[in-house]
Amino acid sequence: MIIHSDFAGGNIKTVRRSGNEVYLENELRDSGQDWFYWAFCVEDAAGQTVTFRFQENRLGYFGPAVSRDLVNWKWLSETDKSRHSFLYGKNSFTYTFGKDENRVFFAHSMLYHPDRFLRFAAAHELEVSEFCRSRKGRSVPYTVFGCGKRSVILTARHHACESTGSYVLEGVLSELLRDPLPDAKVLCVPFVDYDGVIDGDQGKARRPHDHNRDYDKNQPSIYPETAEIRRYADEHGCHYGFDFHSPWHIGDVNDCMFIVQNSFEKADRLDAFGKLLESEMTEKAFRYRHENDYPFMHGWNLKSNNFSQYMISRPENVLAFTLETAYFGTQQNRVDQKNLTVSGRCFAKALRKYIENYGATEKIF
Ligand SMILES: [Zn+2]
């Protein structure tokens, strides 16, 4: 049996093996805070039954996400029960590899491989180009579509591990391409911390600061991607800016989809958007409720040099915020790859309604 992290998003350390028990830890790398992301591949274990043991707070309600191809993901508890055992809170799971199951991926949550974005773009005839070079010299992808005076900026993965935001963003794009916003040019940077996404970093709380703390008005950005986003906003404006994230690992509001409110001055707009978003939610969506929105200057939600606070305080900006989407959800509202994209489509419809209802108050034209 080989356990490795040699794939986009891989992150694991094998601490110890004894018989068919494996003790694993995730790698924090340059994160200054304990975080929970991990993803690994098991090869050459066909026919074996193996127990994987973790630290606290590394497994969700439904066990790990499981995939054979890095494309399709299921929760362990949705797979054949005769071949696994998992109890939430025990920090371990047991898996029996089928006779011809020679390669299986396990992860904290459902990964969103950058190739999925490229396939999505190709299927929608969306041109993907180089936004900038990352610190490690990689070509960071972006896309831009539509034309008009209204500038919309959509981003995800300011925190590398936060894959649920990517599924929601894909849904937003699919709806905006199907039925474009009026008079709008949309910039999308799907993997802001591209190196972190590829390398399988946590990305959260990087030292000295992470990508979503790199928007200090009084300081130049330290990451090329965020510097380029700021430059774009200076050139084109940012009338609407939405940044798609995942929250903390699990529990309470972290099991929901919620808007992180970020302004007292624009509280009415944030509430209005939240109401529209709730009313656009369908049965097939990972559901959102306005009442779960996180109030500004409450708990962990303080003033920050993040994307959304930077954008919302720009003079031309109408609305900007972070949308958080749970990694697992709950028994009644459970995350899967499909329902997150449906929520994204609902989000785009809410945005269109917002512009229809309140567009006249924009200082754009
Ligand atoms: Zn985040």
Side-chain angles (χ1 to χ4, degrees):
M1 176 174 68
I2 301 161
I3 298 172
H4 70 86
S5 55
D6 189 15
F7 58 95
N11 177 315
I12 205 66
K13 185 167 105 190
T14 302
V15 178
R16 184 156 67 84
R17 264 172 78 168
S18 87
N20 276 349
E21 273 200 326
V22 188
Y23 291 80
L24 299 167
E25 284 183 6
N26 63 338
E27 296 183 325
L28 294 177
R29 302 182 187 167
D30 65 349
S31 286
Q33 225 177 306
D34 186 45
W35 216 246
F36 42 76
Y37 175 77
W38 55 269
F40 64 91
C41 180
V42 178
E43 298 198 53
D44 299 334
Q48 296 185 46
T49 298
V50 185
T51 298
F52 300 94
R53 299 196 181 280
F54 291 80
Q55 305 130 280
E56 288 273 316
N57 288 325
R58 299 298 186 258
L59 288 161
Y61 298 123
F62 318 118
V66 185
S67 174
R68 294 200 184 115
D69 53 11
L70 288 176
V71 176
N72 301 292
W73 292 89
K74 274 189 164 186
W75 300 115
L76 182 74
S77 58
E78 291 167 347
T79 63
D80 180 0
K81 282 197 170 51
S82 65
R83 288 176 39 217
H84 72 256
S85 66
F86 169 75
L87 212 54
Y88 176 65
K90 294 284 188 202
N91 304 319
S92 69
F93 68 90
T94 300
Y95 192 85
T96 300
F97 294 86
K99 286 202 170 52
D100 50 6
E101 216 177 18
N102 277 311
R103 194 176 65 154
V104 183
F105 298 92
F106 298 98
H108 167 262
S109 38
M110 295 184 176
L111 306 193
Y112 186 102
H113 197 289
D115 286 351
R116 177 174 166 135
F117 185 81
L118 298 181
R119 284 194 301 273
F120 168 84
H124 292 80
E125 292 171 357
L126 204 55
E127 196 182 326
V128 177
S129 317
E130 178 174 301
F131 192 53
C132 61
R133 287 271 160 182
S134 71
R135 277 184 162 186
K136 292 187 178 174
R138 293 184 177 111
S139 176
V140 178
Y142 86 107
T143 189
V144 63
F145 57 93
C147 55
K149 293 189 208 72
R150 205 173 256 126
S151 171
V152 179
I153 302 182
L154 304 174
T155 52
R157 313 299 278 273
H158 272 94
H159 295 137
C161 72
E162 297 178 356
S163 57
T164 53
S166 291
Y167 290 100
V168 177
L169 173 59
E170 184 191 294
V172 174
L173 295 176
S174 70
E175 176 60 22
L176 293 183
L177 291 165
R178 192 190 67 78
D179 187 3
L181 296 173
D183 208 353
K185 180 172 180 165
V186 180
L187 169 77
C188 173
V189 186
F191 309 103
V192 175
D193 180 2
Y194 190 59
D195 284 334
V197 171
I198 299 295
D199 293 341
D201 292 348
Q202 308 296 326
K204 178 77 177 178
R206 278 186 194 283
R207 285 185 291 254
H209 63 241
D210 67 40
H211 288 64
N212 204 31
R213 298 291 179 278
D214 201 27
Y215 291 88
D216 182 343
K217 282 188 195 85
N218 305 310
Q219 299 278 342
S221 290
I222 64 171
Y223 299 108
E225 299 89 346
T226 43
E228 187 58 20
I229 289 169
R230 288 168 66 167
R231 196 202 58 72
Y232 181 94
D234 286 343
E235 189 179 333
H236 300 270
C238 174
H239 302 103
Y240 294 92
F242 304 107
D243 188 23
F244 297 90
H245 283 247
S246 316
W248 192 68
H249 172 57
I250 207 163
D252 303 321
V253 75
N254 303 298
D255 296 337
C256 305
M257 174 181 276
F258 59 100
I259 291 171
V260 183
Q261 296 204 342
N262 55 355
S263 162
F264 291 124
E265 199 186 314
K266 294 185 181 171
D268 291 353
R269 297 179 187 189
L270 291 160
D271 284 334
F273 194 99
K275 285 174 192 156
L276 284 173
L277 182 55
E278 180 168 338
S279 70
E280 287 299 326
M281 284 286 139
T282 59
E283 277 300 305
K284 293 207 163 98
F286 178 75
R287 286 183 302 282
Y288 157 89
R289 294 176 68 91
H290 172 48
E291 68 182 15
N292 294 319
D293 288 353
Y294 207 92
F296 187 40
M297 299 306 283
H298 169 80
W300 47 260
N301 183 19
L302 305 175
K303 281 209 160 45
S304 159
N305 294 321
N306 66 22
F307 170 90
S308 80
Q309 291 191 33
Y310 174 84
M311 292 303 174
I312 204 168
S313 61
R314 291 180 63 93
E316 80 282 4
N317 184 271
V318 180
L319 193 58
F321 59 78
T322 297
L323 184 78
E324 300 278 1
T325 302
Y327 287 105
F328 318 113
T330 59
Q331 203 65 255
Q332 297 73 33
N333 191 31
R334 184 189 289 215
V335 161
D336 64 44
Q337 291 175 290
K338 181 79 188 135
N339 66 8
L340 296 183
T341 61
V342 175
S343 299
R345 289 207 286 275
C346 300
F347 186 98
K349 288 179 183 169
L351 175 57
R352 191 176 305 117
K353 285 223 168 121
Y354 185 92
I355 291 173
E356 278 165 23
N357 293 355
Y358 304 98
T361 62
E362 297 170 358
K363 287 180 273 176
I364 297 175
F365 303 103

